[in-house]
Amino acid sequence: MKKVLALLVALSMMFIACACSASAGQVQVMTSFYPLYIFALNVFDGVDSVTVSCMTTPSTGCLHDYQLLASDMMKLAKADMLIVCGAGMENYLGDVQVQFPNLPVVDCSAGIDLIAEDEHEEAHHHHHDEDGEAYNAHTWLDAQNAIQIVQTIAQSAAAMMPAQADKIASNAQAYCERLAALDAQIKELLAPDAGRSIVTFHEAFPYFARAYGLHIAAVMSDEHEDSLSPKALREVIETVRAADNPPLFTEPGSSSVAAQTISQETGAGVYELDPIVTGEATLDTYETRMLNNAYTLKNALEQ
């Protein structure tokens, strides 16, 4: 135990030293994971002396039970701002605030109508915020929520960097206009299918479903793992049959045995929805992939 404590003290001293040696005038903006990284890139596009980076690798995906690495702590030691999803997504946030009490943290769940556990009975895995309340944290999969997230980032950044406030505000306004157009396009596309049921791989899509008039009849996995018990699998199959065999949706990179089993038992088709948690650092990727999801849903629902 003494050795562990000594190591923690040594690491803390190293992190402080790294922070103190950061180059003057250069602002290091850190995001917790991919979707926030894309939003921040748009907000800070062309803003002088600002570098935007993502703490986790592009392949990390959702931060379910993510544990901080020593490399993460070294990145955070150099950060001037940390942008997080909030709603309990980053369960390590308390540790970060203890290690770096002066690091400004932007909570992007602010202003969003969060979906509580009892509002989505089909969900198996929820994140708990600092007050212990359980919420679904996949807020970004609603374009209106994305607008709120962008505005939260921009307001916090403008307050921290007043000299850059005009450029940040201009970027945020332009991006929010694009997101509003995206939201309108998805709503128009899916309006004819309002009220229809779908079955998802895990509980990433309640915000999307609420925003665009869909109903999630069941979830095929527990805690983002293809690990339903035989009893739970039978229950999902019965739910799918009772809902008149709505389409089943897996996710990129998943190999869902449960989806194939349910499909064989019910005849429901299997498709793929993208939770937008991994990818390349392109400014328009959120818009492109959200629209792709809408077209995938429309195609599946009209089969």
Side-chain angles (χ1 to χ4, degrees):
M1 178 61 71
K2 290 182 179 179
K3 290 182 178 179
V4 172
L5 291 174
L7 177 59
L8 288 174
V9 171
L11 283 172
S12 298
M13 295 300 293
M14 179 179 66
F15 297 151
I16 293 170
C18 289
C20 292
S21 65
S23 57
Q26 186 70 27
V27 178
Q28 302 287 338
V29 174
M30 184 75 63
T31 64
S32 61
F33 74 132
Y34 179 76
L36 301 179
Y37 179 50
I38 297 303
F39 296 147
L41 285 176
N42 279 276
V43 171
F44 293 103
D45 185 35
V47 177
D48 292 338
S49 302
V50 174
T51 300
V52 180
S53 56
C54 193
M55 186 186 76
T56 53
T57 64
S59 61
T60 300
C62 249
L63 301 180
H64 296 278
D65 303 318
Y66 184 81
Q67 300 295 317
L68 286 172
L69 306 173
S71 58
D72 297 330
M73 300 296 278
M74 294 183 70
K75 293 174 187 176
L76 289 169
K78 300 176 183 178
D80 298 296
M81 171 187 289
L82 174 62
I83 299 171
V84 301
C85 179
M89 173 65 80
E90 294 86 357
N91 60 9
Y92 54 77
L93 192 55
D95 294 334
V96 171
Q97 292 171 322
V98 169
Q99 287 290 334
F100 308 104
N102 296 320
L103 175 63
V105 176
V106 180
D107 183 344
C108 290
S109 68
I112 291 177
D113 181 15
L114 297 175
I115 296 177
E117 181 174 343
D118 60 358
E119 292 178 38
H120 187 64
E121 296 176 353
E122 294 86 358
H124 297 282
H125 179 90
H126 289 80
H127 302 276
H128 294 259
D129 72 356
E130 60 186 7
D131 297 320
E133 296 293 330
Y135 295 106
N136 187 296
H138 302 78
T139 53
W140 64 93
L141 289 167
D142 168 353
Q144 284 294 329
N145 286 352
I147 290 172
Q148 178 62 53
I149 291 169
V150 169
Q151 291 173 342
T152 296
I153 294 171
Q155 290 166 5
S156 299
M160 181 178 176
M161 298 168 252
Q164 309 282 25
D166 288 345
K167 176 62 173 174
I168 290 169
S170 177
N171 282 351
Q173 180 178 349
Y175 191 34
C176 286
E177 288 173 358
R178 285 161 42 199
L179 293 174
L182 169 70
D183 182 60
Q185 187 174 1
I186 295 175
K187 285 177 177 174
E188 180 180 4
L189 190 66
L190 294 178
D193 300 303
R196 297 285 299 277
S197 293
I198 61 174
V199 177
T200 61
F201 175 63
H202 87 301
E203 72 296 339
F205 290 93
Y207 291 96
F208 190 108
R210 182 177 71 180
Y212 304 113
L214 301 174
H215 171 248
I216 299 177
V219 175
M220 292 181 285
S221 65
D222 188 12
E223 300 189 7
H224 210 166
E225 296 292 338
D226 190 15
S227 58
L228 288 182
S229 67
K231 179 182 177 182
L233 185 59
R234 287 195 300 271
E235 290 175 352
V236 173
I237 290 171
E238 291 171 3
T239 299
V240 170
R241 285 173 174 160
D244 198 22
N245 302 330
L248 316 174
F249 293 94
T250 60
E251 296 177 7
S254 68
S255 177
S256 180
V257 175
Q260 297 303 322
T261 302
I262 296 165
S263 178
Q264 290 170 6
E265 292 291 327
T266 65
V270 180
Y271 305 86
E272 186 175 274
L273 285 180
D274 183 357
I276 317 179
V277 292
T278 62
E280 298 179 353
T282 52
L283 296 179
D284 64 350
T285 188
Y286 175 82
E287 298 140 274
T288 300
R289 292 162 70 179
M290 280 285 283
L291 193 57
N292 285 344
N293 279 339
Y295 278 113
T296 297
L297 281 159
K298 186 171 186 65
N299 176 62
L301 291 167
E302 296 181 355
Q303 292 297 314

